Amino acid sequence: MSAVAVQIPPTLALPSRLDAMGGARTWLDAHARIAGFDPVASSELQLALTEALSNVIRHSYRSADNETILLSVLVDADTLTLTVRDFGDKFYRATLRSVDLGSPQVGGYGVYFIEALMDEVEWDTSVEQGNLLRMVRLRASGPRG
Amino acid sequence: MAEYLLAADRLGPVVVLRSSSAGDLTAAEAPGFRARAEAALGDSRLAIVDLAPFTFIDSSGLAALVSLHRRLSGLGGELRLAAPGRDVLAVLELARLHRLFEIYDTVPEALEGFAGSR
């Protein structure tokens, strides 16, 4: 029996629906595993992606379910870089209050999770429309939390 | 959207909530989970959420749990969590919510702690 090589596309166009996030996680998990990240790291990457998507859908797109989110992943010797591109309302990180981990709250942990789980995070609002979120995870970084 | 399936077992004054829509508790599922949980709780003050069915949870899932906790605490009761998988526990700890909730390895262990409750 001959082996079949399966290529996972490095880009994914996602509809702006919350129920589409599971498919995005599966796509990212495949890339992370192929790149050699262990299951814990892959789970952390998936959580960062989920939080990013949730924010885009609910805030940048104001829960409109007919928009598109573009994902890309790039793996090199040292890093996995994940980008999330939307064409909705601008997101200004500086306007968010930091979460107080000493005071449990209902919601508000999304951006904190992204920044805690990834080694580099940048929201680029200079793109003509919407936002470009770039998240980098170093291969060498260990589990979070 | 498919209806969220949540089983609620009443063991004396304690309601044990267990998802039948296994897998994720994210922004997609959290509203349905929360609505079904609140309906199942009714006037109950003591509850356990069996986390075993969940393999993935995000901040919206956590928000649903914290919301239920606040509801029961406001009634003088308590929400406990049981049987979290590795990844779910890691997210709870990342948000430092393991300091808010009593988390048990199993539902029977969580029930034990409620035995003396009124």
Side-chain angles (χ1 to χ4, degrees), chain A residues 25 43 51 58 104 112-113, chain B residues 24 58-60 70 87 94:
Chain A
R25 282 196 293 277
S43 184
E51 298 295 347
R58 294 192 294 186
Y112 160 68
F113 279 170
Chain B
D24 303 335
D58 72 356
S59 62
S60 295
R70 286 190 174 177
D87 291 343
L94 185 62

Side-chain angles (χ1 to χ4, degrees), chain A residues 18-22 25 50 58, chain B residues 1-6 19 21-37 54 56-58 60-61 64:
Chain A
L18 294 174
D19 62 5
M21 296 194 299
R25 282 196 293 277
T50 299
R58 294 192 294 186
Chain B
M1 186 183 301
E3 182 182 344
Y4 194 89
L5 301 176
L6 186 71
S19 172
S21 300
D24 303 335
L25 185 57
T26 72
E29 299 83 16
F33 168 84
R34 182 172 164 178
R36 297 289 291 179
F54 298 121
F56 189 89
I57 190 170
D58 72 356
S60 295

Side-chain angles (χ1 to χ4, degrees), chain A residues 21-32:
Chain A
M21 296 194 299
R25 282 196 293 277
T26 300
W27 166 83
L28 179 58
D29 181 45
H31 277 289

Side-chain angles (χ1 to χ4, degrees), chain B residues 13-14 46-48 78-80 109-118:
Chain B
V14 184
L46 304 176
I48 298 167
E78 184 183 352
L79 175 70
R80 293 182 175 181
E109 287 175 35
L111 275 168
E112 239 177 81
F114 276 140
S117 298
R118 299 281 180 273

Side-chain angles (χ1 to χ4, degrees), chain A residues 9-42:
Chain A
T11 61
L12 183 66
L14 205 67
S16 58
R17 298 196 323 265
L18 294 174
D19 62 5
M21 296 194 299
R25 282 196 293 277
T26 300
W27 166 83
L28 179 58
D29 181 45
H31 277 289
R33 302 291 188 121
I34 292 169
F37 286 84
D38 65 31
V40 171
S42 177

Side-chain angles (χ1 to χ4, degrees), chain A residues 10 57 76 101 135 142:
Chain A
I57 291 167
D76 64 22
L101 294 177
M135 300 179 278

